[in-house]
Amino acid sequence: MALLPMAPQGLIQQKNLVEQVADFLTQGVIEQRFMPGERLSEVQLSKDLGVSRAPVREAARLLESRGLLVSRPRRGFFVKALDAVELQDVFDLRLCLERHAIERLAQRYTPEARLALERQVDVLCEAAASDSGTRRIEEDLQFHRLMLHYAGNERLLRAFEGLAHELRLCITLITRTHEAPETIATSHYQLLEALASQSGPACREAIDYHIGVARDSVVRGINEAGVQEEGGAR
Amino acid sequence: MALLPMAPQGLIQQKNLVEQVADFLTQGVIEQRFMPGERLSEVQLSKDLGVSRAPVREAARLLESRGLLVSRPRRGFFVKALDAVELQDVFDLRLCLERHAIERLAQRYTPEARLALERQVDVLCEAAASDSGTRRIEEDLQFHRLMLHYAGNERLLRAFEGLAHELRLCITLITRTHEAPETIATSHYQLLEALASQSGPACREAIDYHIGVARDSVVRGINEAGVQEEGGAR
DNA sequence: CTCTTTTAAACTGTCGACAGTCGGCAGTCG
DNA sequence: CGACTGCCGACTGTCGACAGTTTAAAAGAG
């Protein structure tokens, strides 16, 4: 069987097999086709995707570096199971990064950055009003990516990217408890206002509130959903 | 009954080939046996190390995720060349992470953490007085690792680890301009004092000063050494 | 029937090999 | 004399295979 939509729309170049497999695995983890704690067999994946083990292996390593998989020596790869504590850690690190980023950005708030962020909020609102889950999350993440980008430190963005996958996982898992889309949009406008004021403390307060809301929403979702702690101990 | 595998931390046992190769490559990059911008051939490395290409490949991917190598599709791996801007970015992100960590740590400063940090400073002083370069840097990094660890967010530590290799590279490249070891030791004592006071602002001030000194030292070193910008454009 | 021992299957880690592609060099044409 | 085209070598991306180890089940003892 064909593994992935063969024709990447219009683009001449085909991505590496590694990246294709990585995308497939990422989707699988996010959509919970691979359950947390589940063991992923290299040979099985190879057969299913119709490729050799080498690309699967590299892709798995990639996912591991992104925190979506964990590898135990001689045991193979397992889907990362996030518990409540780790979830708190994710949001704590996110807060750390975004605080720093927004304060930096406030000091160099160019019209270009402002325009890009405002446009992204518009897109976000549109997505929130019309579409469902996935795209809403994606546009939300994109806004924060832009913020990190215009903060002017590429490494800051890279660190965030490393977290983004776990973050997306957290959020997707409990998308039902997401606040009303309008609330989220409003929250982003507050960020824009704080940035426009170019006041460090105001920005910090805004981002603290913004991320706090998101974190509480996720935590609440976890509690409501009743965590099935199957992955368990080592 | 079957006897369990002896000493788990035995030095005899060989780590994964991948890790061994990764260590070799890391050493090579840090010691500048591989010059910045240089292309690394997989087959050449395989022959030199007497292993297959598979472990070399995985190790290179690992180094890439750590920021020591960059890969261009179909071209192979190249040694990362750090310019002045990126160097600033490294220290900026480091500041971001350590600020957050030390403020967290101040709020949960257990006797255990205090003891561990104090012991590490002692070790650091000893190393500074006796040994040369490499070990001094290693013990310095270890202190900060401990600080991040006791801050209680594993992801914070992981982000720092991702930066540590680049940081080590920065520092090693210009080790000659390192401040007098005693100065560094004193600076660490200031961190301990700030932590003991459990005052957030005091901690922030201390870490800002500490990292600022390191950054200035490195930047000064770069300027003095005269950067050979050979890596250059794409 | 339960617990231990033995055996077999499956998997990962590693290897060597093949095909497609990229960069460079020579030869040719304007 | 300069620019374009076709060929050559080298290298990466990918593949299938083998050995050692871990897991799980089957067989045997109490």
Side-chain angles (χ1 to χ4, degrees), chain B residues 180-200:
Chain B
E182 307 82 40
T183 308
I184 297 177
T186 307
S187 186
H188 283 90
Y189 278 120
Q190 288 173 357
L191 290 179
L192 288 183
E193 288 175 14
L195 275 171
S197 77
Q198 301 205 354
S199 153

Side-chain angles (χ1 to χ4, degrees), chain A residues 82-127:
Chain A
L82 286 176
D83 59 15
V85 173
E86 292 188 290
L87 195 139
Q88 291 279 0
D89 286 357
V90 168
F91 276 90
D92 183 64
L93 180 52
R94 182 188 171 188
L95 186 62
C96 166
L97 296 175
E98 297 213 37
R99 263 185 192 164
H100 194 73
I102 201 172
E103 287 176 357
R104 271 182 68 111
L105 182 54
Q107 292 178 345
R108 62 178 71 190
Y109 198 39
T110 64
E112 181 195 354
R114 176 176 185 150
L115 183 61
L117 288 177
E118 286 176 348
R119 289 196 49 184
Q120 183 59 29
V121 173
D122 290 342
V123 172
L124 173 55
C125 288
E126 182 192 350

Side-chain angles (χ1 to χ4, degrees), chain A residues 57-58 61 86 89-90 92-93 96-97 99-100 104 152-156 158 163 166 204, chain B residues 57-58 61 86 89-90 92-93 96-97 99-100 104 152-156 158 163 166 204:
Chain A
R57 207 179 159 77
E58 278 198 39
R61 288 276 184 210
E86 292 188 290
D89 286 357
V90 168
D92 183 64
L93 180 52
C96 166
L97 296 175
R99 263 185 192 164
H100 194 73
R104 271 182 68 111
N153 183 342
E154 207 55 34
R155 251 153 268 266
L156 206 55
R158 227 179 59 189
L163 216 65
E166 286 182 292
R204 186 182 170 113
Chain B
R57 205 177 161 77
E58 279 198 39
R61 289 279 183 210
E86 293 188 290
D89 285 358
V90 168
D92 183 65
L93 180 53
C96 165
L97 295 175
R99 264 185 190 163
H100 194 73
R104 272 182 66 112
N153 183 343
E154 207 56 35
R155 251 153 268 266
L156 207 56
R158 226 178 61 188
L163 215 66
E166 287 183 291
R204 185 182 171 112

Side-chain angles (χ1 to χ4, degrees), chain B residues 217-232:
Chain B
S217 169
V218 171
V219 169
R220 192 145 24 95
I222 284 273
N223 292 338
E224 284 178 7
V227 201
Q228 56 271 25
E229 294 282 350
E230 54 172 335

Side-chain angles (χ1 to χ4, degrees), chain A residues 158-211:
Chain A
R158 227 179 59 189
F160 182 78
E161 287 292 348
L163 216 65
H165 296 90
E166 286 182 292
L167 200 54
R168 181 164 27 209
L169 179 59
C170 296
I171 298 174
T172 309
L173 288 187
I174 44 143
T175 178
R176 52 194 147 178
T177 66
H178 231 43
E179 300 289 329
E182 307 83 39
T183 308
I184 297 176
T186 307
S187 186
H188 283 89
Y189 278 120
Q190 288 173 358
L191 290 178
L192 288 183
E193 288 175 15
L195 276 170
S197 76
Q198 301 205 354
S199 153
C203 286
R204 186 182 170 113
E205 188 182 353
I207 198 70
D208 280 13
Y209 176 77
H210 183 86
I211 295 182

Side-chain angles (χ1 to χ4, degrees), chain B residues 203-219:
Chain B
C203 285
R204 185 182 171 112
E205 187 181 355
I207 198 71
D208 280 13
Y209 175 77
H210 184 86
I211 295 182
V213 167
R215 186 195 54 216
D216 293 345
S217 169
V218 171
V219 169

Side-chain angles (χ1 to χ4, degrees), chain B residues 104-189:
Chain B
R104 272 182 66 112
L105 182 53
Q107 292 178 346
R108 62 178 72 189
Y109 199 39
T110 64
E112 181 194 355
R114 176 176 187 150
L115 183 62
L117 288 178
E118 285 176 349
R119 287 196 50 185
Q120 182 60 30
V121 172
D122 289 342
V123 172
L124 173 56
C125 289
E126 181 192 351
S130 65
D131 265 315
S132 66
T134 305
R135 175 148 175 256
R136 211 153 58 204
I137 295 169
E138 223 46 55
E139 299 297 349
D140 194 336
L141 278 179
Q142 183 59 24
F143 174 85
H144 291 274
R145 256 191 286 263
L146 280 175
M147 212 172 67
L148 277 282
H149 168 69
Y150 285 110
N153 183 343
E154 207 56 35
R155 251 153 268 266
L156 207 56
L157 181 58
R158 226 178 61 188
F160 182 77
E161 286 293 347
L163 215 66
H165 296 90
E166 287 183 291
L167 199 55
R168 182 164 25 209
L169 178 60
C170 296
I171 297 174
T172 309
L173 288 188
I174 43 141
T175 178
R176 54 196 145 180
T177 66
H178 230 43
E179 300 289 328
E182 307 82 40
T183 308
I184 297 177
T186 307
S187 186
H188 283 90
Y189 278 120

